[in-house]
Amino acid sequence: MAVNLPMPTVGPVSRLAPKPMKFVLNWGRRYSLWVFNFGLACCAIEFIATSMSRHDFIRFGVIPFANGPRQADLMIVSGTVTDKMAPAVKRLYEQMPDPKYVISFGACSNCGGPYWDSYCVTKGVDQIIPVDVYVPGCPPRPEALLHGIMKLQEKIAAESLGDRYQGGGA
């Protein structure tokens, strides 16, 4: 009698990994996000306020400042992305190791904000790199960023490891 085994998810032996192990791996990635802040305008001040003691997103397992893109899991783009800055955003995103996540923080990074009609403003950072969570507002409150981080953590907890590491995930 043939038994249909599930497809491997992380490696050739991953089918042998029990579900609790997959839960532990997702849990570890969920609560150890190293942030690469790409602050471009006034929204960056709100990001800094979120990392201070009043809001303190370290309690959610978010380490506020990675040394560079090669040590970061999460890029938070906050502020107006101009066409001149767009290649730098893309280059830094590509330097981040997989799995990597992006939060678009504020109206300017989401869709251009009040400058959407300008000839030199990118109409949202999602035109350049894939975005996992959008945080609206002009400027968005620190509580909104905390909510966005919790939504990203929920997404990380629910994702398939195979999809994420083989490039199938967003």
Side-chain angles (χ1 to χ4, degrees):
M1 178 174 171
V3 176
N4 292 332
L5 296 174
M7 293 297 295
T9 55
V10 178
V13 233
S14 65
R15 63 185 165 81
L16 303 175
K19 278 195 172 189
M21 181 56 116
K22 295 173 187 176
F23 171 78
V24 168
L25 290 174
N26 274 345
W27 180 85
R29 287 186 307 114
R30 179 182 181 180
Y31 292 116
S32 63
L33 292 170
W34 284 79
V35 176
F36 182 66
N37 182 21
F38 206 87
L40 298 167
C42 49
C43 292
I45 303 301
E46 296 297 322
F47 171 82
I48 293 168
T50 310
S51 66
M52 294 297 135
S53 62
R54 181 172 184 172
H55 299 286
D56 188 28
F57 61 37
I58 295 174
R59 64 192 160 126
F60 291 111
V62 178
I63 294 89
F65 302 106
N67 293 328
R70 289 180 184 91
Q71 289 81 28
D73 304 308
L74 170 62
M75 176 186 274
I76 297 179
V77 181
S78 53
T80 310
V81 180
T82 60
D83 292 339
K84 189 173 184 179
M85 186 57 75
V89 173
K90 185 172 179 65
R91 183 173 49 249
L92 291 169
Y93 174 78
E94 289 170 350
Q95 290 178 6
M96 292 172 59
D98 284 325
K100 51 191 166 189
Y101 308 96
V102 176
I103 292 179
S104 178
F105 184 57
C108 291
S109 62
N110 289 347
C111 62
Y115 313 108
W116 66 272
D117 200 20
S118 175
Y119 69 94
C120 64
V121 172
T122 304
K123 309 302 186 264
V125 76
D126 57 354
Q127 303 290 315
I128 308 162
I129 57 177
V131 175
D132 295 296
V133 175
Y134 296 89
V135 178
C138 183
R141 297 276 309 142
E143 295 87 358
L145 180 57
L146 291 176
H147 183 71
I149 288 170
M150 288 189 292
K151 288 296 177 189
L152 179 64
Q153 288 175 333
E154 290 171 11
K155 181 178 180 177
I156 292 169
E159 74 186 359
S160 164
L161 296 175
D163 288 346
R164 178 49 83 177
Y165 284 106
Q166 294 170 0

